[in-house]
């Protein structure tokens, strides 16, 4: 009887995952029609063309829309693992399989003392909020690597570091999962894995790092926080324009460079805060690495010149890892991210025309979505600081008799 009762939550989880992912696949395969512009063309046209070039032994050197680190080539070539399927179909199937692997990792991580099944449910509920976009980009594959790195951090720090280093060669941001890890081993492993992977691509395929130049030339994407300035300014005579530029819909014209520079400055300030937090943190619990990674990627996303819908997959994945720990302080920020994901699918692709036109409805959607992300970032950063760094200041000022030296139930009391 106990065995049957224990299996019921797993059965409910898998049933919910299967039902929602079937719908996602039907939308991705166009058996069902999702409202708004077609989001699958990136795979069926752009990714497939890149794969043709990559199979010839070089990166797409003449295509400015190729703005990814060299290991992204593996994702573009992955449909070759299913040669009996057409390229786009194979890609969607592999994205779905990766989605299932993430669920398996999260479910396993949520078992045991101090753990929670909530993380797996965050993943099951969060991913379909983004619609078919989640299977029509390779970000779910990158997120899987980052999730695996974080979940390995406690017992296998070298493996965690190696995964983070390789993930950085997939799409840069997985390097941020290192920010809350303890000791030198994960950082050393990340450096070795990243350097070896980079050297391998540089030696075997020309143009491995051309993406750095293409990224530098990007402007302010219409869904970003800074873009709100121009959405409003268009109603007061700003004479810039909206164009497909470097692979995304961006604002071009007067003051765009200044806003882009301001976004980069905000990113630098945010990372400066993360460095300050790391120096000030005195208490590293089992959930700290996940919470810190979630905060780091949140501030990176919010301050970026580009907030593409697929970026939300990263945040959902990291929020799910936080949810695997009962002591995580990220419950409210994670809920805000899920709410932002629901608004995201409305602004893209459902009502993207209103966003591009700077229609009041489109502006309202961006204000709500980006406002939710800003709120999540601020609350998450505050919670992380109070949980790990503020205690040191309190302990310095508290009377000696009131100091507690009892560690928490799930972790050591202090960090080196």
């Amino acid at each position: 009887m106990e065995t049957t009762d224990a299996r019921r939550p797993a059965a409910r989880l898998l049933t919910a995952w299967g039902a929602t992912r079937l719908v996602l696949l039907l939308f991705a395969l166009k058996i069902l029609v999702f409202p708004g512009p077609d989001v699958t063309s990136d795979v069926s046209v752009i990714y497939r063309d890149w794969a043709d070039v990559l199979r010839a032994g070089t990166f797409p050197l003449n295509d400015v829309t190729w703005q990814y680190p060299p290991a992204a080539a593996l994702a573009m070539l992955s449909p070759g693992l299913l040669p009996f399927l057409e390229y786009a179909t194979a890609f969607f199937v592999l994205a779905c399989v990766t989605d299932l692997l993430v669920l398996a990792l999260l479910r396993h991580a949520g078992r045991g003392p101090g753990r929670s099944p909530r993380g797996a449910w965050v993943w099951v509920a969060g991913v379909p909020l983004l619609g078919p976009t989640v299977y029509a980009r390779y970000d779910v594959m990158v997120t899987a690597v980052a999730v695996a790195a974080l979940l390995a951090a406690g017992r296998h720090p070298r493996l965690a570091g190696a995964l983070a280093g390789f993930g950085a060669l997939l799409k840069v941001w997985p390097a941020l999962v290192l920010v809350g890890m303890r000791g030198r081993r994960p950082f050393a492993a990340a450096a070795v894995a990243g350097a070896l992977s980079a050297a391998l691509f540089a030696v075997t395929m020309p143009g491995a790092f051309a993406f750095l130049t293409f990224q530098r030339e990007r402007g302010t994407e219409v869904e970003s926080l800074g873009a709100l300035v121009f959405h409003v300014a268009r109603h007061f005579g700003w004479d810039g324009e909206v164009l497909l530029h470097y692979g995304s819909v961006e604002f071009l014209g007067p003051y765009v460079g200044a806003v882009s520079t301001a976004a980069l400055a905000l990113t630098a300030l945010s990372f400066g805060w993360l460095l300050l937090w790391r120096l000030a943190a005195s208490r590293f619990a089992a959930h700290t690495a996940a919470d810190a990674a979630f905060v780091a990627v949140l501030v990176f996303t919010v301050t970026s010149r580009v907030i593409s819908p697929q970026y939300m997959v990263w945040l959902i994945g990291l929020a799910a890892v936080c949810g695997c720990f009962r002591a995580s302080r990220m419950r409210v920020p994670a809920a805000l991210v899920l709410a932002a994901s629901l608004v995201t699918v409305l602004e893209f692709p459902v009502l993207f025309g209103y966003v591009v036109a700077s229609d009041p409805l489109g502006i309202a959607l961006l204000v709500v979505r980006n406002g939710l992300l800003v709120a999540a970032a601020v609350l998450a950063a505050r919670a992380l600081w109070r949980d790990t760094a503020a205690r040191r200041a309190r302990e310095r000022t508290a009377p000696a008799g009131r100091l507690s030296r009892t560690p928490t139930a799930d972790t050591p009391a202090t960090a080196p």
Side-chain angles (χ1 to χ4, degrees), residues 270-291:
S270 298
F271 287 167
W273 180 88
L274 285 170
L275 177 59
L276 177 64
W277 164 79
R278 180 72 197 213
L279 294 173
S282 60
R283 179 181 179 275
F284 283 66
H287 61 276
T288 301
D291 286 4

Side-chain angles (χ1 to χ4, degrees), residues 220-237:
T220 296
E221 193 255 350
V222 295
E223 297 164 276
S224 66
L225 186 63
L228 286 170
V229 173
F230 301 111
H231 281 296
V232 174
R234 291 176 83 183
H235 292 272
F236 294 92

Side-chain angles (χ1 to χ4, degrees), residues 16-43:
W17 182 89
T20 54
R21 275 40 174 194
L22 175 61
V23 174
L24 283 182
L25 277 175
L26 292 175
F27 280 130
L29 295 171
K30 300 182 185 178
I31 297 172
L32 296 177
V33 178
F34 200 80
D38 179 20
V39 300
T40 65
S41 60
D42 276 28
V43 176

Side-chain angles (χ1 to χ4, degrees), residues 20 27 37 51-52 96 112 141 159 166 204 248 251 343 363 390:
T20 54
F27 280 130
D52 290 340
C96 185
M141 302 173 184
L159 175 60
F166 174 72
T204 59
S248 65
F251 280 113
V343 181
I363 295 175

